[in-house]
Amino acid sequence: MASSDEDIKIIPGTKFVVDGFKLKKEKNKYQHFFLTHFHSDHYAGLIKTWSHGMIYCTIPTCNLVKKKFNVKEEYLYPCEFNKTYKVEDVEFAFLDANHCPGSSLILFKVNSTGKAFLHTGDMRFDRSKMLNCEALRPYIRSELLDDGDNEEEKDGCNGDKKKNMKLESIFLDTTYCDPFYTFPKQVEAIEFISNIIEMKLKDKKKKYLILIGTYQIGKERIAEGIYKKTKKKVFVTFDKYKTLQCLNLPYFDAFTMNVSETNVHIVNMKDIGWKRLFQIRAANKDVDEIIAIKPSAWCFSEMEIPPEMPKDGIIPTVAVNATRRSNITQIEVPYSEHSSFSELKECIDTFYFKDIIPTVYKDKKHKKRILEMLDEGFNYQPITIKLGIPEVVLTENEASNKTSSKKKKEEEKPKVTIFDFIKKGEEKKKKRLLKEEEEKKAKEKVKEEEEEIDEETLEELAEVMNEIEYEEDGVIVNSSYISSTCRSKLVNGGSSVDNALDIDELDDDDFVDGSQLAVLMSSTTRTPKKERELKPIVNTSNPFLKLPSTTESNTTKNNSTNSIGSSSCFINKKTTGGSSTNSSSSTAPKATTNETPKAKLRLKRKQITPTPPTPSTPSFNTNNISNTKKQKFSSPSSVGNQTTKKSIATPQQKNTILSYLYPLSKETKVKEINENGITVLSIEDDE
C-alpha cells in the first residue's frame, strides 16, 4: 500500500503525477496522470466524471478503468509494454512490474536535464526480467550484463548508443522492507500450491472442493500454475470472468464459469475465513473434504523461520501453517506479489542510481529506518527456506501445526460459549440502561439548579445592599431594611407558592440606555387578566423616590393602597373597605380582607458617573424631620445594636444602582413628609 505523501507521486522537473489522482484539485499545476496498476490504493481519487487531465496506463489497466469508472476515452491514453512515448519534453516507457496483470514500472527521462527516474509502483522484483528490458540496460551495472555489452549500451528510450548512466532517483516499493521477510520466490510458492492440489485430486476415494483466496485483481498466476500442473481448469464467478477478459491474459483458457467442470474454485479472500467455510460446507453436503488455500505474504510471519542459515549450507525446509477442523483444512502459503527484503537488496544492487525514495512507510522515522536497511553498509545475512507440506495436510487428522507461540496464545484465550454471548449482551444492556439513568438524573439536577434560588447568592447580595447608601437633596437613604426584608421573603419562599418570583417579559422601554434592566415581580397568584398597573412617583428631585403629584394623589387616593420598595419606589394607593388615605401624611389602613394586594415592582440598573465619597452621618430620626443634617435610615431590626460608621455611597458614586421591590404583607406604617420641597418616607414595621 503506497503512502499518501505528495513528494513520492510527483516526478521532479515535470507536471507528471504517478498514482496521485487526489491531486486533481491542482488542475493548473498537474495535467498528466500515470496509473501503475489497478489496485484501489493506487487509483484512489479517480472518479467517473474525470476531466482533470490525461491518464496514461497499460492497456489491461485502461480496460479496467473504463469498466469500473466509465471514464471518457478522450482522457485515457493506453500504452503498450516496452514502448517509448514522448509527452512535452519527457520520454517514458511502461515495463512489466511482475505484480498483478497490467502492473508496470515507469521509466521517465527528462530530455532538458538528462535526468532519469524509475517509479516501481508495486513490484515483485525479478532480476532476469530486468536484464532483458532494453530500456533499463543503460542503467544496469555493467558486471551484470554480458561481456559483449559492457562497453556501450543501447538506450531503450531513443535507441542511441550510450555508456552506462545513473538513475537520478528510484521510487521503490518498500512494502516488505524488513530483514524478517525472506519468503520464497513467487515461482516456488505457485509450485508448492500446485503440488498440494495435484496430490488431493489423485485421491479418488474422496470428493474434494478446493478453494483459493484472491483479490479483485492479482494471484491469477496461481490458476495458471494449477492448470499447467493438473490440466484442471479453475472456476470463477461471472464478475470475475468479465474482469479477467479485460486483462488480455495469455492463459485465459485456464478459467471457466462452468461449476460442474472443475472442483477447484477461485473465491474472495474473505471466503477463506472459518465462518464462511462452515457456510460453504453446509451448502455442499456432498463434498467429503474442503481444502482452503490462503496465499498471502502475511502468512510468513506465522512460520517458524530459523534465525540464521545452517552452517552446513543446506537449505532448511519449513512447513507452512495449516489447521484442520472436521473435514475442512485451511492452508496458509507465503505467496507474495511484493518484493521480499532480499529482493529489494537485489534491486538496488542491479542499477546505478543516486537516490532511493521509499514509497511505503508509516512515518518519517520508519522511512529513515528503511533507508538505513537499504544502505550498502547494512549487515544482513539472507535466509533461504523451502516450503514443506504440514503433517495435518498429509494425514487429514483434525489438528493444527501452528507455531508453539501461537498455540500458547490460543490456549490462554478463554473458551467462549453461547451463554457467554448472552451474558455479555445482558451486561452491555445493563450498562446502557445505567448510563441512560445517570444522564437523566444529571439533566434533572441541572434543571432543579436552574429553578431554585441560590441562597448563598442572596446572602452576598444582602451584604452588598446593606453597604449601599444613597444621598439626594440632603437625605440619606439606606437600603439595608428593604434588602433584608426582601431577602427574608425570597429565601423563605414567601407565605405560599403563590408568592414565588414572577418575571414578566421585558419591553423595549426597559432598555432605554442599554444599561437599565427591569424585572416585574408579583407576590400573589398570577392573574394576567386582572393585572393592576403601577403608577410612577413624580414631582420629586430624587430620581429614586418619585411620589405622585398633589393632583394625581387626590385623584387616586380613593382607589390605592400602600406598597413600597427600596431605593426606586412605586406606590399604588387604593381604598379598602370604603376608607381613604391622605397623601401628605397618613398611615396605611389594615387590610379588611385576607387577600394580599397584588403589586408589580420594578428593578433598574442605571449608569452613574462616580464622584468622591462623602462621610457617614448618624441614624435617621423620624421625630426630627426638619433636621437639615444628612441622616441615616436604618431598619427596626437593627435597633439596639451598636452602629458602626459606614461610608456613604451616593448615586453619583456608584456605577450601578439596583433597586429591589417587594410588597409588604404585614401591617406597615408609611409616613409621607414634605419639608422644603423634599419628600421622604418613614417606615415602621413590627419586624
Side-chain angles (χ1 to χ4, degrees):
M1 181 177 290
S3 299
S4 58
D5 292 349
E6 184 175 338
D7 58 347
I8 66 173
K9 300 180 182 298
I10 308 301
I11 303 302
T14 70
K15 295 182 180 180
F16 292 3
V17 181
V18 180
D19 297 339
F21 295 94
K22 289 184 179 180
L23 300 177
K24 59 181 178 289
K25 296 180 181 179
E26 304 181 31
K27 187 174 182 179
N28 297 330
K29 189 174 181 181
Y30 305 117
Q31 300 175 354
H32 304 283
F33 296 83
F34 290 78
L35 180 59
T36 58
H37 63 287
F38 198 74
H39 277 169
S40 59
D41 55 321
H42 291 260
Y43 65 69
L46 188 59
I47 55 178
K48 293 183 178 180
T49 57
W50 178 268
S51 61
H52 305 282
M54 186 65 69
I55 300 174
Y56 302 88
C57 55
T58 61
I59 294 174
T61 303
C62 184
N63 294 337
L64 293 172
V65 170
K66 288 190 288 186
K67 178 179 180 294
K68 183 175 180 64
F69 295 103
N70 197 24
V71 176
K72 294 181 180 179
E73 291 190 4
E74 59 183 291
Y75 296 108
L76 294 174
Y77 197 105
C79 302
E80 297 179 10
F81 281 107
N82 302 315
K83 185 177 180 180
T84 303
Y85 298 86
K86 185 175 181 180
V87 175
E88 295 180 355
D89 190 40
V90 181
E91 295 180 2
F92 59 89
F94 287 85
L95 314 171
D96 186 12
N98 195 34
H99 179 61
C100 66
S103 63
S104 61
L105 313 172
I106 307 176
L107 176 65
F108 297 93
K109 183 179 179 182
V110 183
N111 292 329
S112 59
T113 61
K115 295 180 180 180
F117 304 89
L118 180 64
H119 202 296
T120 65
D122 283 353
M123 169 191 69
R124 182 73 193 258
F125 182 78
D126 188 340
R127 179 178 281 182
S128 61
K129 291 184 178 181
M130 298 300 163
L131 294 177
N132 293 327
C133 180
E134 291 296 329
L136 290 174
R137 290 181 71 86
Y139 310 100
I140 295 176
R141 294 180 182 273
S142 58
E143 60 268 20
L144 300 177
L145 299 173
D146 296 337
D147 295 336
D149 297 332
N150 282 348
E151 297 180 359
E152 56 183 22
E153 301 297 334
K154 289 184 179 181
D155 188 337
C157 292
N158 51 28
D160 296 336
K161 291 185 177 181
K162 290 186 179 181
K163 294 182 179 180
N164 293 101
M165 298 179 293
K166 283 187 177 182
L167 294 168
E168 186 69 21
S169 299
I170 299 178
F171 295 80
L172 187 63
D173 172 24
T174 53
T175 302
Y176 294 107
C177 187
D178 190 296
F180 174 78
Y181 293 107
T182 57
F183 33 77
K185 297 285 185 181
Q186 196 176 71
V187 177
E188 296 175 10
I190 293 174
E191 184 69 18
F192 177 79
I193 294 172
S194 301
N195 290 337
I196 291 178
I197 294 175
E198 183 184 30
M199 179 183 64
K200 295 299 179 183
L201 293 179
K202 286 182 178 179
D203 186 359
K204 303 298 183 180
K205 297 179 180 179
K206 294 182 179 180
K207 184 177 181 181
Y208 286 90
L209 174 61
I210 300 171
L211 307 176
I212 303 170
T214 64
Y215 303 117
Q216 180 185 9
I217 300 295
K219 308 186 189 303
E220 287 79 9
R221 290 191 184 90
I222 298 175
E224 179 188 13
I226 294 171
Y227 181 67
K228 289 181 178 179
K229 187 79 173 179
T230 64
K231 305 302 179 184
K232 196 89 170 178
K233 289 189 176 183
V234 178
F235 170 81
V236 293
T237 61
F238 176 79
D239 292 337
K240 180 72 174 180
Y241 193 82
K242 290 296 182 183
T243 300
L244 294 172
Q245 285 180 330
C246 299
L247 303 179
N248 299 331
L249 297 174
Y251 48 90
F252 182 73
D253 293 338
F255 302 97
T256 180
M257 289 189 295
N258 187 359
V259 68
S260 61
E261 191 175 351
T262 179
N263 57 346
V264 181
H265 295 191
I266 281 184
V267 296
N268 194 288
M269 190 65 78
K270 65 183 180 181
D271 294 330
I272 303 300
W274 283 106
K275 182 178 179 180
R276 184 64 177 144
L277 288 174
F278 291 142
Q279 294 174 347
I280 293 173
R281 181 181 63 180
N284 297 271
K285 295 182 179 180
D286 58 331
V287 174
D288 298 322
E289 293 286 338
I290 296 178
I291 306 296
I293 298 175
K294 182 180 181 181
S296 174
W298 300 114
C299 301
F300 186 79
S301 60
E302 301 294 335
M303 298 175 62
E304 292 183 340
I305 307 299
E308 59 183 12
M309 291 294 293
K311 294 180 180 180
D312 55 9
I314 299 176
I315 298 176
T317 299
V318 180
V320 300
N321 290 323
T323 304
R324 181 174 174 81
R325 297 181 183 178
S326 185
N327 62 337
I328 303 175
T329 305
Q330 185 189 71
I331 306 172
E332 300 177 359
V333 181
Y335 171 90
S336 176
E337 292 185 331
H338 292 270
S339 303
S340 65
F341 183 76
S342 58
E343 289 169 341
L344 290 175
K345 294 287 286 185
E346 188 179 21
C347 174
I348 61 177
D349 290 338
T350 302
F351 300 101
Y352 291 111
F353 64 91
K354 293 182 180 180
D355 188 25
I356 291 289
I357 301 177
T359 60
V360 182
Y361 51 87
K362 297 178 182 178
D363 48 36
K364 291 182 179 180
K365 187 177 180 180
H366 185 214
K367 181 179 179 181
K368 184 179 179 181
R369 174 61 178 165
I370 288 173
L371 293 175
E372 290 175 355
M373 290 186 292
L374 293 176
D375 188 77
E376 292 181 0
F378 181 75
N379 294 326
Y380 164 69
Q381 182 184 7
I383 299 175
T384 306
I385 64 169
K386 290 182 180 179
L387 298 178
I389 300 176
E391 188 69 20
V392 66
V393 177
L394 297 173
T395 60
E396 293 185 353
N397 293 325
E398 188 168 349
S400 174
N401 73 322
K402 297 279 184 178
T403 59
S404 58
S405 59
K406 190 167 184 178
K407 283 183 181 180
K408 188 176 181 181
K409 290 180 181 179
E410 290 180 351
E411 290 174 359
E412 290 176 354
K413 293 180 180 179
K415 293 183 178 180
V416 181
T417 63
I418 186 63
F419 301 102
D420 295 326
F421 282 107
I422 295 172
K423 186 178 179 181
K424 190 175 181 181
E426 291 177 352
E427 289 177 354
K428 285 185 178 180
K429 185 177 180 181
K430 188 177 180 180
K431 288 181 181 179
R432 179 172 53 81
L433 293 175
L434 288 173
K435 187 177 180 181
E436 291 177 356
E437 187 176 353
E438 288 176 359
E439 291 177 353
K440 186 177 180 181
K441 287 181 179 180
K443 290 181 181 179
E444 291 177 355
K445 186 176 180 181
V446 172
K447 190 175 180 181
E448 290 175 0
E449 290 176 355
E450 292 176 351
E451 292 177 353
E452 69 181 4
I453 299 175
D454 191 347
E455 184 175 353
E456 294 181 1
T457 304
L458 291 174
E459 292 286 351
E460 294 176 1
L461 185 59
E463 292 177 4
V464 173
M465 294 302 297
N466 286 335
E467 298 296 329
I468 298 177
E469 296 176 342
Y470 308 103
E471 178 183 4
E472 182 69 23
D473 296 336
V475 178
I476 301 169
V477 181
N478 187 294
S479 61
S480 60
Y481 170 70
I482 299 300
S483 64
S484 61
T485 305
C486 177
R487 181 180 60 79
S488 176
K489 293 280 187 180
L490 292 177
V491 172
N492 296 330
S495 58
S496 65
V497 179
D498 296 334
N499 291 338
L501 194 65
D502 180 20
I503 302 177
D504 295 339
E505 295 182 359
L506 303 179
D507 298 327
D508 294 337
D509 296 336
D510 296 321
F511 298 88
V512 177
D513 61 348
S515 64
Q516 297 179 356
L517 176 65
V519 179
L520 301 178
M521 297 181 292
S522 176
S523 62
T524 60
T525 307
R526 290 176 284 182
T527 55
K529 294 182 179 179
K530 298 181 181 181
E531 189 173 338
R532 301 174 183 177
E533 297 181 357
L534 301 177
K535 297 183 179 180
I537 302 172
V538 296
N539 295 337
T540 178
S541 59
N542 190 335
F544 308 106
L545 295 173
K546 291 187 178 182
L547 296 175
S549 62
T550 307
T551 307
E552 271 186 320
S553 180
N554 293 334
T555 305
T556 61
K557 67 181 180 178
N558 292 329
N559 57 0
S560 62
T561 59
N562 292 336
S563 178
I564 190 164
S566 63
S567 55
S568 180
C569 300
F570 298 84
I571 298 180
N572 186 7
K573 300 178 180 180
K574 182 178 180 180
T575 58
T576 306
S579 62
S580 62
T581 58
N582 193 339
S583 62
S584 60
S585 63
S586 62
T587 303
K590 296 182 179 180
T592 57
T593 63
N594 295 330
E595 181 181 359
T596 305
K598 182 177 181 179
K600 290 274 184 171
L601 305 174
R602 186 177 294 269
L603 177 147
K604 290 189 178 181
R605 180 188 293 118
K606 294 187 178 181
Q607 300 291 343
I608 308 297
T609 305
T611 59
T614 57
S616 60
T617 58
S619 301
F620 181 78
N621 188 355
T622 57
N623 298 326
N624 189 10
I625 302 302
S626 62
N627 192 346
T628 58
K629 292 182 179 180
K630 297 178 180 179
Q631 296 174 332
K632 184 177 181 180
F633 180 80
S634 59
S635 65
S637 60
S638 63
V639 177
N641 297 333
Q642 185 177 357
T643 60
T644 58
K645 292 185 179 181
K646 299 180 180 179
S647 60
I648 301 174
T650 65
Q652 287 77 15
Q653 291 176 272
K654 295 292 181 180
N655 292 332
T656 304
I657 301 300
L658 297 177
S659 302
Y660 279 85
L661 305 160
Y662 199 88
L664 303 178
S665 58
K666 295 185 178 181
E667 181 177 354
T668 306
K669 297 179 181 180
V670 180
K671 294 182 181 181
E672 302 173 87
I673 305 169
N674 293 325
E675 185 74 12
N676 297 329
I678 300 174
T679 303
V680 297
L681 298 181
S682 174
I683 305 172
E684 294 181 6
D685 197 325
D686 293 340
E687 291 183 324

